[in-house]
Amino acid sequence: MNVSAWKQKDTWTGKEFTLLLLLEFIFVIVVVKYGVQSLYLSWFNNTLYSGTLTGLTIAIVLMSGLYFIALRPQNLSWREVGIRSFSTKYWWKIPIWILLTIILSVAVALLTSLLGNSVDNSKTESLQQNINLFTILIGIISAGVVSPVYEEIFYRGFIYRWLRVRLGMNWGIMISSLIFTIAHFPTLNAMPVNFINGVVFAWVYEKTGSVIPGMIIHGVFNTIAVVLTVTG
């Protein structure tokens, strides 16, 4: 596959796309985020621990679904969902994209704060109330490593690519970012920032042909957010 072939065609149909959306919006949101997370909360009585374990569960569910629904049936490798090398010319741009992500996210957060929105949620509040090396490490691993890896593979590597092939870049970016945003329900207050991040990450995938730069940007951004949470 050449550097841009992934933008023109893939071997999937609407079946794989629909099944994976159902996995996300029915199983993950309804079963995992409400049922399973409540179980974790009853075990740990701590929103940080239960939220972290929920995130890991979601990662396992979505990556397993992607493999068994979209990849394995057609003997496809993970390269098909963006896990591939990218040109070295983009390495120096990654810090710029990180800065762009931060600037846009802060701007959106400030604008929505005028409407009474806040970026705090139960997990950040729990982290602030239980600040120690262990909880900070959990926060960084969860938000800075686990989430960026599976979210970039699923939402950009598969969802954006599928839409990109059929609808073009602009609609692909907008719709995949909207899906990425809605998938963060019920953390409604973070959704404006999620949407902006989705746009940036999809655009980076469009430029580089790899989800790895997006993972790096996503991971650094989330790690900075964790650090600001515990120091703020």
Side-chain angles (χ1 to χ4, degrees), residues 86-142:
F86 59 97
S87 174
T88 55
K89 70 181 181 180
Y90 292 113
W91 275 106
W92 71 270
K93 294 184 179 181
I94 290 178
I96 297 175
W97 290 333
I98 292 172
L99 183 61
L100 176 65
T101 304
I102 293 171
I103 291 172
L104 291 176
S105 298
V106 169
V108 169
L110 289 174
L111 286 173
T112 57
S113 70
L114 298 176
L115 302 175
N117 189 32
S118 168
V119 295
D120 290 329
N121 55 56
S122 59
K123 189 184 290 188
T124 60
E125 290 171 356
S126 179
L127 182 58
Q128 289 170 335
Q129 293 168 5
N130 300 276
I131 297 176
N132 57 58
L133 184 59
F134 181 66
T135 56
I136 294 172
L137 185 61
I138 286 178
I140 290 175
I141 292 175
S142 176

Side-chain angles (χ1 to χ4, degrees), residues 11-82:
T11 59
W12 298 306
T13 65
K15 175 185 174 181
E16 292 86 359
F17 186 76
T18 301
L19 287 174
L20 287 169
L21 284 185
L22 289 174
L23 183 67
E24 167 62 80
F25 290 106
I26 301 299
F27 187 81
V28 168
I29 289 183
V30 176
V31 177
V32 179
K33 288 191 177 182
Y34 283 95
V36 177
Q37 186 167 15
S38 296
L39 177 64
Y40 292 157
L41 186 58
S42 69
W43 288 353
F44 297 105
N45 195 30
N46 182 291
T47 53
L48 175 63
Y49 298 159
S50 62
T52 298
L53 192 54
T54 299
L56 182 59
T57 302
I58 293 172
I60 293 171
V61 169
L62 291 184
M63 290 301 92
S64 297
L66 189 57
Y67 177 71
F68 288 108
I69 292 172
L71 300 180
R72 184 176 177 180
Q74 300 185 45
N75 295 316
L76 300 175
S77 75
W78 288 95
R79 281 180 53 83
E80 294 296 326
V81 285

